[in-house]
Amino acid sequence: MAEKTMLEAVHDAMFEEMKRDERVIVMGEDVGEGGVFRATEGFVAEFGPNRCVDTPLAEAAIVGVAIGASLNGILPIAEIQFADFSHPAFDQLVSEAARLYYRSNGTWNCPITVRMPYGAGIHGGPYHSQSVEAFYAHVPGLKVVCVATPHDAKGLLKSAVRDPNPVIVLEHKKAYRLYRQELPDEDYTIPIGVAELKREGSDISLITYGMMMHHSLKAAETVHEQDGVSVEVIDLRSVSPWDKARVLESVKKTGKALVVYEDNFTGGFGAEVAATIAQDGFDYLDGPVTRLASPDVPIAPFAGELEDFILPNPEKITTAIRKLASY
Amino acid sequence: MTAVKEAPAALKLSDEQLLEMYYKMLLARTLSIRQRLLQRMGKGAITYSGEGHEAAQVGTAFALRPGTDWLYTYYRDIGVVLTIGMTPAEVLTGFFATRDDVNSGGRNMPSHFSHKRLRIVSQGAPVATQCPQAVGTAWASKLRGLDEVAAVYFGDGATSTGDWHEAMNFASVHKAPVIFVCEFNQYAISVHYKKQMAVENVALRAQGYGMPGITVDGNDVLAVYEAMTDAVERARGGGGPSFIEAKTYRLVPHSSDDDDRRYRTKDEVESWSARDPLVRFARRLNEMGKLDERREKEIAERVASEVDEATELGEGGARPDPESALRPVFVEEKGS
Amino acid sequence: MVSVKEIPGAMGLEREQLLDLYYKMFLSRTVAQRERMLNRLGKGPFAITGEGQEATQVGATFALRPGHDWVLPYYRDIGVAITVGQTPRDLLLALLSKSEDISSGGRNMPSHFSEPKLRIVSGSAPVSTQLPHAVGVAFAAQLRGSDEVALVTTGDGGTSPGDTHEAMNFAGIHKCPVIFVVENNGYAISVRWSQQAAVPDVSVRAAGYGFPGVTVDGNDVLAVYGAAKEAVERARSGDGPTLIEAKTYRMVPHSSDDDDRRYRTREEVEAWGKKDPVVRFQKWLEEHDLVDRRKLDEIQQLAAEEIDEATEYAENAPKPAPESALERVYAD
Ligand SMILES: Cc1ncc(C[n+]2csc(CCOP(=O)(O)OP(=O)(O)O)c2C)c(N)n1
Ligand SMILES: Cc1ncc(C[n+]2csc(CCOP(=O)(O)OP(=O)(O)O)c2C)c(N)n1
């Protein structure tokens, strides 16, 4: 067992996958020098410049080239420096990677992994803070995971690399160096699409993912101590596919659901979760399915005061829990 | 500026190969005409074809090794896929969107070719998205130490897209063994090339990426073949990518949904009909003493019967099971 | 005494103008240094500057009519912003993201310049998205029959995105009055030019769009100015776009988050330090007897005072009201 940050876990996951399977390569901007977040530190020394490849500054090419390489015996892990810069590659992700398998009636598949640091709370301004999971989770053919702990990051990234489908791995960048966690020494994976109970509870089901999971745990602690309210925190970890069964099972037990997500309120992935609970879990409910998210403004303004104002945080979550608990 | 190159008469092609080229061109032409006819009869929802492009398509594809080299075609490339080895029936089952359509099982539009064994990679509709993918496939060959090359096809309109630029740049920086083939037919649907670019020969752009670019007469199959052979050899030998601009003309509307009388004159179309690549190649072969009337007739008969047979197969093909529309979205276990 | 205008290489500028050029370069340098210092002191979370690129930025922009022509700068362009009229105060208010920050009211990152009055169009962070905008601005000027031109800058990495190609192609077809300036400093963060493109000079690409492209010494302010002046004249007279590639060097890390020792040697940085464009132009002015020590002191003193005043002002300015984060998502 070794204590690792999430960033180290991401590094190790790729490193170990590249050791395990020589078809695996990483490609992206600045990855040769270790990447702007240092996720590929030492890769060129270990694997050479042909397996840790600096690309031109061109995201459509990064994803498009990765798709083509994946059809010819290479398993690319493409890094998009910030999720905000995946938009130039939207066409390659949505029209190509996602549709290739279906449109060829199952003859061509595209085993690429696209890593993207995402999320706000780091003074990134409107272009280094976006949550992009809802865009991609909307698209059949893409798998999307959102990781925010070292253990999950490593296990899910490995699953992504081994998955025969295109998988987008969204790594919450505020969680990169948040804390250290003991990780097993042996190889392990975490299945895509399986949620994890991060805290057990009986009064309210709080469904979340990404950085909001950490904030939600804090809020759950607070209401437990101060109000005696018992909140169950479910970390989805994957948003496509997502673990509906686990969520409904919890709501059945608690009768109340609070969905917390960092993205804009309207059309964020939590809206899908809320709609599913409302439709399939209606009989279990003792209160309104509640959503807490960022208001509908571009995420995120740069100034600390502005950014703090819009993002959900433990205090806002605490307030939302209390309101729902009093129902 | 790269000059339009005349093909040297002497090429190392055997008589059989020359006739094979002619046969593929005629097959492409005949099959295209058949498709358009079937569409007008209400037997298919839409058709795309490339009458007029046969020299560019067959001439380039002929320089590749079927099943070894990779192809990223676009919707006009009936001549390419037939040359690589797709059968007329495989093309027509795509048109009829049958259950057993090798391209997509009725999921993709017709002429969006895909054939795994022949390494023809499935094609989307957004123009030029195939360009970076082809670069990736070629680059993978290089990384793996293989001598496979990739050829990617597109029209003049495609050269305006960001994907095309990013692909050209990536290919040249990483010396990927890829050949970019532009079927320059002067129009992107109704948009004339003068509104698409401010240069006469788009091959000029290749120098901006440090790769050779050549403009050839795309209606001269031998000139095209020669340019492609050069480019393929360079790619195979580690010399990196090339760009070939084949000047040609689409003699038919963009698709069955298009009425080209809206944007071009009859005179213009006729003047290009006079340069029909098929007629021209037949005449050339005749002059070379390789194609007499008897051989020509034989080939025409063979083509006609093949196209008839394919039509029957396509028309009689099983319809897809409606519920199969729900599959296959994800690969369930690790594919190749 | 020979007229200044006849000095070879003076590009027809008068002494006052040459001194103004120098002042703007010097001021840009000083603001940049102050920004990085304030960031190190923990007063602003992020700084991104362009020490070493002042000749390119100021020289190119100097060929414009400020407030009449349009500029679409990128994050490295303190020199562009200063030359069209943003003040150190404006820049430092943005650095510290104060409510008076004219560029964005604290919403955008520092060095994402914007000011409608000066016709500086607000830019984003995705590299080169400003290029199609610049073409659009120029296209509109052309459609309206105005003689305004647009100048847009990007880095060498900025030549790779599809947006750059689409913008240049459009500009070529419609002969838009736009000047593309590539500040080729040899790096996109850590990625060298040789990994970015397979050609030594990116200006060769212009021919593929049907307009002229030139490569100039980006550390020679007069050479850059000369090239830009010619490009502006072409654009204004209806002859369409020009691509100017200015070869230069970023003497500092990419941003306050970057450690450039990871990817380049100190010798390389020092060698470029010897070609410092501000020092180089100062020497040129001295060699041609256009300034003496006293005059230089005066200019430098003026810049220092301006920066100090701006720092004090910006530090004491109010922060934006948190609720203002909700405003201005849509125009009324
Ligand atoms: C990105 C994108 N934009 C628009 C279209 C619609 N469209 C289909 S074909 C076409 C014209 C393509 O012209 P060109 O590349 O010259 O090829 P040609 O059809 O002439 O062979 C257009 C605009 C598309 N398919 N993809
Ligand atoms: C589309 C996009 N991808 C990636 C980034 C992250 N990024 C910011 S600056 C930069 C390098 C830009 O280099 P260059 O254009 O050469 O300008 P320079 O910083 O050297 O002045 C990168 C990769 C971005 N901002 N936008």
Side-chain angles (χ1 to χ4, degrees):
Chain A
M1 300 282 264
E3 294 232 310
K4 300 277 183 173
T5 62
M6 179 169 131
L7 190 59
E8 287 162 352
V10 167
H11 170 280
D12 293 356
M14 291 192 284
F15 192 93
E16 290 170 20
E17 288 304 285
M18 288 173 78
K19 279 279 183 199
R20 185 185 61 80
D21 185 341
E22 64 170 23
R23 295 174 303 166
V24 180
I25 67 165
V26 299
M27 55 189 291
E29 293 155 13
D30 300 287
V31 297
E33 289 301 324
V36 296
F37 290 102
R38 330 286 317 123
T40 53
E41 182 93 68
F43 278 36
V44 168
E46 180 67 28
F47 302 107
N50 280 346
R51 293 186 65 202
C52 178
V53 184
D54 269 333
T55 64
L57 202 169
E59 284 75 11
I62 292 172
V63 177
V65 168
I67 293 171
S70 81
L71 305 180
N72 190 7
I74 298 285
L75 293 174
I77 305 175
E79 176 178 301
I80 299 293
Q81 204 164 79
F82 288 86
D84 313 60
F85 307 135
S86 70
H87 305 331
F90 200 73
D91 207 14
Q92 288 292 346
L93 287 165
V94 172
S95 289
E96 299 294 330
R99 281 168 160 70
L100 176 63
Y101 188 60
Y102 185 81
R103 80 176 183 220
S104 67
N105 201 13
T107 50
W108 294 100
N109 67 302
C110 170
I112 62 170
T113 302
V114 186
R115 291 181 45 241
M116 310 183 188
Y118 85 108
I122 52 121
H123 287 296
Y127 303 99
H128 300 80
S129 307
Q130 296 175 37
S131 287
V132 300
E133 69 276 11
F135 298 145
Y136 298 116
H138 182 66
V139 183
L142 294 178
K143 294 189 180 180
V144 185
V145 305
C146 295
V147 295
T149 73
H151 189 263
D152 292 346
K154 189 168 180 189
L156 280 158
L157 181 49
K158 284 193 167 201
S159 291
V161 173
R162 299 178 196 183
D163 200 286
N165 297 287
V167 185
I168 294 177
V169 178
L170 295 170
E171 300 160 3
H172 203 294
K173 62 176 103 74
K174 193 178 169 72
Y176 267 158
R177 297 185 180 90
L178 200 61
Y179 67 102
R180 293 181 172 276
Q181 190 178 18
E182 294 249 311
L183 299 186
D185 291 327
E186 64 278 9
D187 183 47
Y188 72 95
T189 59
I190 295 172
I192 296 172
V194 177
E196 190 182 64
L197 206 61
K198 288 271 164 42
R199 180 194 170 100
E200 230 180 286
S202 53
D203 298 331
I204 288 181
S205 302
L206 192 161
I207 302 103
T208 186
Y209 55 91
M211 194 58 211
M212 292 301 126
M213 183 269 296
H214 296 294
H215 291 342
S216 297
L217 285 175
K218 274 202 189 119
E221 197 62 37
T222 306
V223 294
H224 179 72
E225 281 167 12
Q226 299 180 2
D227 311 52
V229 174
S230 167
V231 178
E232 177 146 304
V233 178
I234 298 175
D235 182 359
L236 288 180
R237 304 192 295 190
S238 300
V239 296
S240 178
W242 67 282
D243 201 343
K244 289 179 196 150
R246 190 69 196 78
V247 169
L248 290 168
E249 185 190 316
S250 172
V251 176
K252 186 173 182 183
K253 178 173 78 176
T254 64
K256 286 179 179 168
L258 173 64
V259 187
V260 181
Y261 52 105
E262 177 179 320
D263 198 357
N264 297 119
F265 186 84
T266 303
F269 188 75
E272 176 65 27
V273 176
T276 303
I277 297 169
Q279 185 165 346
D280 296 344
F282 185 74
D283 293 341
Y284 316 142
L285 291 170
D286 298 325
V289 183
T290 305
R291 288 188 277 158
L292 177 67
S294 295
D296 291 336
V297 305
I299 297 173
F302 177 75
E305 299 72 13
L306 303 178
E307 182 172 33
D308 291 345
F309 185 78
I310 66 159
L311 293 178
N313 55 28
E315 295 70 45
K316 291 183 196 174
I317 301 171
T318 304
T319 309
I321 294 171
R322 287 187 174 135
K323 189 165 170 216
L324 185 58
S326 70
Y327 236 83
Chain B
M1 192 158 303
T2 19
V4 175
K5 215 167 151 183
E6 259 306 309
L11 279 162
K12 294 188 205 88
L13 291 166
S14 67
D15 289 4
E16 283 92 284
Q17 285 174 309
L18 289 168
L19 292 181
E20 175 80 359
M21 268 184 169
Y22 175 73
Y23 156 71
K24 296 284 188 188
M25 287 170 70
L26 187 66
L27 186 62
R29 171 69 55 92
T30 312
L31 191 59
S32 301
I33 294 173
R34 174 64 53 88
Q35 276 199 163
R36 288 194 296 113
L37 181 82
L38 290 166
Q39 196 277 335
R40 276 201 301 275
M41 293 162 65
K43 302 207 170 173
I46 187 165
T47 166
Y48 294 93
S49 57
E51 290 96 316
H53 288 226
E54 291 89 351
Q57 295 174 356
V58 175
T60 48
F62 217 81
L64 297 167
R65 298 183 304 197
T68 298
D69 295 326
W70 297 74
L71 287 106
Y72 282 82
T73 57
Y74 81 122
Y75 47 81
R76 222 166 279 300
D77 283 330
I78 292 182
V80 175
V81 300
L82 290 174
T83 304
I84 290 302
M86 269 178 81
T87 63
E90 285 171 335
V91 172
L92 282 186
T93 47
F95 169 79
F96 286 112
T98 65
R99 182 191 66 194
D100 301 322
D101 157 33
V102 67
N103 301 284
S104 81
R107 286 157 174 75
N108 222 346
M109 277 184 150
S111 289
H112 287 57
F113 305 106
S114 170
H115 199 297
K116 190 152 190 185
R117 186 174 49 77
L118 294 173
R119 296 197 160 170
I120 298 168
V121 178
S122 166
Q123 156 84 69
V127 163
T129 46
Q130 72 273 29
C131 295
Q133 294 167 19
V135 174
T137 296
W139 180 53
S141 294
K142 186 184 162 197
L143 291 176
R144 297 172 61 206
L146 306 174
D147 75 347
E148 300 162 5
V149 307
V152 57
Y153 292 82
F154 48 85
D156 37 289
T159 64
S160 295
T161 64
D163 277 23
W164 177 84
H165 163 70
E166 296 191 8
M168 293 282 287
N169 190 45
F170 195 106
S172 57
V173 171
H174 289 280
K175 279 191 169 285
V178 57
I179 299 99
F180 293 90
V181 180
C182 179
E183 299 179 30
F184 195 106
N185 65 12
Q186 309 189 25
Y187 289 89
I189 311 185
S190 72
V191 180
H192 191 256
Y193 78 90
K194 299 234 185 230
K195 291 190 234 164
Q196 196 73 246
M197 61 188 68
V199 288
E200 269 307 304
N201 295 323
V202 76
L204 178 62
R205 286 196 186 149
Q207 74 182 46
Y209 303 97
M211 77 169 85
I214 179 170
T215 302
V216 290
D217 179 348
N219 281 15
D220 178 344
V221 67
L222 296 181
V224 172
Y225 173 76
E226 212 213 16
M228 187 70 174
T229 304
D230 268 4
V232 169
E233 272 168 19
R234 185 162 40 245
R236 250 195 252 298
S242 305
F243 182 88
I244 295 175
E245 173 186 25
K247 296 281 201 200
T248 183
Y249 196 81
R250 145 168 77 69
L251 295 169
V252 293
H254 169 72
S255 72
S256 51
D257 289 342
D258 178 42
D259 177 1
D260 63 333
R261 287 168 306 185
R262 291 182 296 121
Y263 54 82
R264 53 186 195 179
T265 64
K266 224 172 150 228
D267 286 354
E268 182 184 298
V269 179
E270 270 164 17
S271 81
W272 277 92
S273 293
R275 288 178 256 177
D276 187 323
L278 253 177
V279 177
R280 189 164 151 188
F281 191 41
R283 198 183 307 129
R284 177 92 173 263
L285 288 174
N286 187 274
E287 282 162 12
M288 290 161 82
K290 300 189 193 292
L291 184 72
D292 55 19
E293 240 171 79
R294 191 182 54 81
R295 288 305 295 272
E296 203 175 332
K297 200 163 155 251
E298 262 171 36
I299 293 174
E301 279 165 6
R302 177 175 161 208
V303 163
S305 78
E306 282 179 9
V307 170
D308 285 344
E309 202 179 303
T311 308
E312 234 169 82
L313 275 170
E315 253 190 301
R319 300 308 306 158
D321 181 11
E323 300 93 84
S324 78
L326 300 178
R327 296 184 304 273
V329 179
F330 290 106
V331 192
E332 298 306 340
E333 74 281 354
K334 188 97 195 170
S336 58
Chain C
M1 204 176 113
V2 290
S3 151
V4 177
K5 287 173 115 168
E6 274 142 42
I7 298 175
M11 299 291 162
L13 292 170
E14 300 286 1
R15 176 168 181 269
E16 287 315 298
Q17 292 173 300
L18 291 165
L19 294 187
D20 191 27
L21 256 188
Y22 176 74
Y23 178 67
K24 293 195 150 89
M25 288 171 70
F26 190 82
L27 189 61
S28 305
R29 172 68 56 88
T30 321
V31 179
Q33 288 170 336
R34 179 61 52 92
E35 289 201 1
R36 289 194 301 114
M37 187 184 93
L38 289 170
N39 165 265
R40 277 199 303 275
L41 291 170
K43 299 200 172 168
F46 183 72
I48 189 158
T49 60
E51 290 95 316
Q53 299 183 203
E54 293 89 349
T56 296
Q57 296 170 0
V58 176
T61 316
F62 208 74
L64 300 175
R65 303 212 301 248
H68 177 76
D69 296 326
W70 298 72
V71 293
L72 294 92
Y74 81 119
Y75 50 78
R76 207 159 300 291
D77 281 330
I78 290 177
V80 173
I82 291 277
T83 307
V84 289
Q86 279 208 323
T87 63
R89 191 189 273 197
D90 295 331
L91 299 174
L92 294 183
L93 282 165
L95 180 85
L96 303 179
S97 52
K98 295 304 180 79
S99 111
E100 281 173 61
D101 157 28
I102 190 146
S103 292
S104 81
R107 289 160 153 75
N108 224 342
M109 277 186 156
S111 292
H112 287 58
F113 318 98
S114 166
E115 193 161 349
K117 182 167 57 69
L118 298 174
R119 298 200 160 163
I120 305 173
V121 178
S122 168
S124 66
V127 166
S128 284
T129 47
Q130 71 275 23
L131 271 69
H133 304 166
V135 174
V137 164
F139 186 47
Q142 187 182 36
L143 293 175
R144 290 190 290 107
S146 149
D147 73 345
E148 298 154 15
V149 307
L151 181 131
V152 61
T153 57
T154 192
D156 42 293
T159 62
S160 293
D163 277 16
T164 299
H165 169 66
E166 298 189 11
M168 290 192 184
N169 187 43
F170 193 105
I173 295 164
H174 292 280
K175 281 186 172 277
C176 300
V178 57
I179 298 100
F180 298 101
V181 177
V182 173
E183 302 185 20
N184 190 340
N185 63 17
Y187 289 89
I189 312 185
S190 74
V191 179
R192 283 163 196 276
W193 177 240
S194 59
Q195 294 163 286
Q196 196 69 245
V199 286
D201 298 332
V202 76
S203 58
V204 297
R205 291 199 184 144
Y209 304 111
F211 55 79
V214 290
T215 295
V216 293
D217 178 349
N219 280 17
D220 178 346
V221 67
L222 293 172
V224 177
Y225 168 74
K229 185 165 173 258
E230 215 174 287
V232 168
E233 278 162 15
R234 278 175 44 79
R236 238 191 264 298
S237 56
D239 292 334
T242 306
L243 168 60
I244 298 172
E245 174 189 31
K247 293 279 214 273
T248 180
Y249 196 78
R250 143 170 79 69
M251 291 165 32
V252 293
H254 172 73
S255 74
S256 53
D257 290 340
D258 179 42
D259 177 2
D260 64 335
R261 286 168 306 186
R262 290 188 293 123
Y263 54 82
R264 52 188 195 180
T265 64
R266 291 310 90 190
E267 293 76 59
E268 180 185 305
V269 179
E270 274 159 29
W272 275 92
K274 300 208 175 78
K275 302 186 217 172
D276 184 324
V278 182
V279 176
R280 179 166 162 185
F281 189 46
Q282 181 183 319
K283 282 204 186 116
W284 186 91
L285 291 170
E286 286 171 332
E287 274 163 21
H288 293 90
D289 286 332
L290 295 166
V291 282
D292 52 18
R293 195 61 252 174
R294 199 185 51 76
K295 184 69 190 169
L296 281 172
D297 285 346
E298 198 181 293
I299 292 174
Q300 294 174 359
Q301 183 61 27
L302 191 65
E305 279 165 17
E306 218 181 312
I307 304 287
D308 286 342
E309 180 280 329
T311 309
E312 202 184 312
Y313 185 91
E315 289 203 68
N316 293 318
K319 287 299 225 172
E323 317 78 70
S324 74
L326 300 180
E327 294 160 9
R328 300 178 180 167
V329 179
Y330 297 98
D332 295 323

